[in-house]
Amino acid sequence: MKVVLPDNSELELADGATGLDAARAIGPKLAEQAVLVRSNGTVQDLRLPLHDGEKVQILSTRDSSDPDALAVLRHSSAHLLAEAVRRLHPGVKVAIGPPIENGFYYDFDFPQPIHEDDLQAIEDEVKREIAEGRVWTREEIAREDARERFAAEDEPYKVELVDSADGAISLYTQGDFTDLCRGPHLQDSKPIKAFKLTGLAGAYWRGDERNKQLTRIYGTAFYSQADLDAYLERLERARHRDHRRLGPQLDLFHWEDVSPGAALWHPKGMTLWNELEDLRRRENARRGYLEVKTPLMWDIELWKRSGHWDKYRDNLFLIEYGDSTYGLKPMNCPGHMLLFASRLRSYRELPLRFAEAAVLHRDEPTGALHGLPRSRQFSQDDAHVFCTPEQIQDEIREMFDYVEFLYDAFGVRELAHAELATRPDNKLGTDEEWDYTEGVLREAVERMGLPYELAEGEGAFYGPKIDLFMDDALGRAWQMGTIQLDGQQPERLGCTYMGPDNREHTPYVIHRALFGSLERFIAILIEHYGGAFPFWLAPVQLRVIAVGESHRPAAAELAARLALYRVDVDESDETVGKRIRNAELEKIPYVVVYGDKESDDALAVRERGGGQDTLSLAELQVRLAALGVP
Ligand SMILES: [Zn+2]
Ligand SMILES: [Zn+2]
C-alpha cells in the first residue's frame, strides 16, 4: 500500500504498516523522534495501522510547539503522574487524566486529602520516572476482561468508564501502571524534557456536582526546559494583569459568596463602566439606534414562543409567582420583537434599530464561573435591527464600521479575531439567499482586515453569524461581540410590516452586540492595560498631592480649577514619596505635587511611567484637553 506525505510524495509500505513503520521507512532518526501521526486533521497513535492512500504527517520532537504534539506529550505526562501518585499514596483511586490547553490534569480520589505542599514529592517522583525511563505499550482487550481487570484492582471509576465506553477498549501501560485509554501516547518518556505540577483543585466526578468531589492535580510538560521557562514567565506576567486580582486591588469591584457570578461594582469601577456606557449611548445616537427598555422578568410562555425554552431552558433563572413561572431574561431579543410588533409598522420605518443594555442573567454551573468574563449576571450592548432583505448589506457594513471605531478607541484591535459561521445542513431558505448573506458578512469582515476563520455549517438554521473574539492576558480567547442574521424569530413573535406593495412582510432581524458583555469587555481592558487605563478611562485622572497642611487650600483650589476632569486631592499625613508611590500603585495618569515652590505658573507634574515636568496651569490644561475621549 501507499501513503501520501506532506510534500505529496508517496511512500510504499507493507499492508497493515503502522505510523511507526512509515517513520522507519523514512529514516531511523525520525523513527526515534516520532511522537504522533496526523492525518486530515485527526491524530492517531504511532502504533496503529495506516490506510492505503491516506495523507499522513508524522510529528516528531522537532514539532515542539505544535498543539497536537504538545497534547500527546502532556497526555503521556498525565499517565506518569498517575503512576507516581499510586506509588506514593496507596489506596488512591484514579479517574481521568486528559491533556488540556497549556498542560494536563489527572483526577484522583485520595483516601486522605492532600495539600499543595504534597505536590513537590509527587513531582520529584515523576521526574525520577522520567530519569529512569518509561516505555508505553498498547493493547486492545475485550470489554469484559477490562471490566474484570479494573474491578480486581478496585478502581471503580475505571470500571464505570469501561461500562460507558463505546468502541474498542484499549489499555496503555508504562512502568507498573496500566490505564484505560484511547491514546495516542508517546513511544517512551524520552521526549519529556520538562515537567511541572502547577496546582490542585476540587473537581466533581464527570463534572456533576451530585457526584463525589475528587482532587484534580494540574501540571504541564514541554519538549524543552526553555519552553517551560518561557511559559512560566508568561504565566507570571499574566498573573499581574489578571483582572480578578487587579479589580479588587484597584478598588473597581469585588465578589461576595452570597451572590456567586455577580460582581459588586465600586465607585471607581462604575466610573469605568459609565465611560463605556457613555460611549455606547453617544455612538448609538449618532448611528441611528433608539434606546428602549423592556422587562427583566417574563412569563415562560414568552420563552416558549421565542424558542429559547427549548435551547436555553437550563440557563434560565426561574421564579414562581402566583400560578405562573417567570424567567429572568438571558437576552433582550423577544422583548424587542414584542415592542416592534406592538403596532402596525410601515416599510418607511425600516431599518428600525432598538438598543438596550439591560441586566441579563444566565445560570452557569458554579465550576464554570470565571471572574467577569463568565458570570451569571451581565449586560450586553445589545441591539436588534429590523430591516428588509435589501437593507442587510448596508446595516452589516455600518456595524463593522462601528466595531472598528470601538476597537480603535480602546486600542484592542490586535487582540481580536472573528469566526464566520456558515449554512448548516438543516438550513432554511435557498442556497442563493445564503450565498448573499454569507457574502455580506464575509465582505464586511475582510474589509475591516480582521483575521477570521470559517466555522463551516455552524450557522443557525435561520442565518449565518459572525462572532468576534478577544484574547485575555493568558491568551485565552473569549467570545465578545456577535452579529447574527435572523429570519425566524421575528416570524415566531408576529413581527410584520406593511410593504410598498400594501402587503404584510416579515422583517429580517440582525442581532448584534459589539462590545459583547460589558463585564467581559472590561475584564479584557483591565488585562490589556494591566490596570493602567488611558487618561479618558482612568477612574482618577489626576491627583493633587498637598505637601503640607498649609498647601491644602491651594491644592483644593487647583483641583477645583481642573474640575472638568476626575481629580482628587491627597491630604494625608504620609511622606510625599510614599504618596507618589501610592498614586503609582493606583496607576493614576497624572500627579501634581503642590508645595512651597508651586504656583499656577509652575506646577510639578508627574506623568505615569514617565518623568516630571514643570508646567503652568494653562499648559497643563492644554495637555489634558488633548487626551480627550475618542
Ligand atoms: Zn490516557
Ligand atoms: Zn438578540
Side-chain angles (χ1 to χ4, degrees), residues 308 331-334 337 380 382-384 486 489 509-512:
H308 288 98
M331 45 189 65
N332 298 300
C333 340
M337 309 265 169
Q380 283 184 328
D382 205 5
H384 294 91
D486 183 357
Q489 242 192 94
V509 164
I510 312 172
H511 307 249
R512 119 280 183 274

Side-chain angles (χ1 to χ4, degrees), residues 187-236:
Q187 304 184 64
D188 53 51
S189 59
K190 273 187 233 135
I192 308 174
K193 299 289 189 219
F195 177 97
K196 185 167 179 56
L197 294 183
T198 51
L200 205 58
Y204 295 103
W205 168 235
R206 303 204 137 166
D208 187 335
E209 40 197 294
R210 287 164 301 192
N211 288 338
K212 184 162 189 190
Q213 194 171 35
L214 307 176
T215 303
R216 176 166 295 177
I217 300 181
Y218 286 99
T220 192
F222 287 89
Y223 285 97
S224 78
Q225 185 62 40
D227 286 352
L228 172 63
D229 292 344
Y231 168 72
L232 293 176
E233 207 185 297
R234 212 163 58 235
L235 208 63
E236 189 51 32

Side-chain angles (χ1 to χ4, degrees), residues 411-425:
V412 291
R413 198 197 266 246
E414 77 273 20
L415 306 180
H417 65 272
E419 201 175 86
L420 170 59
T422 60
R423 69 198 79 179
D425 290 339

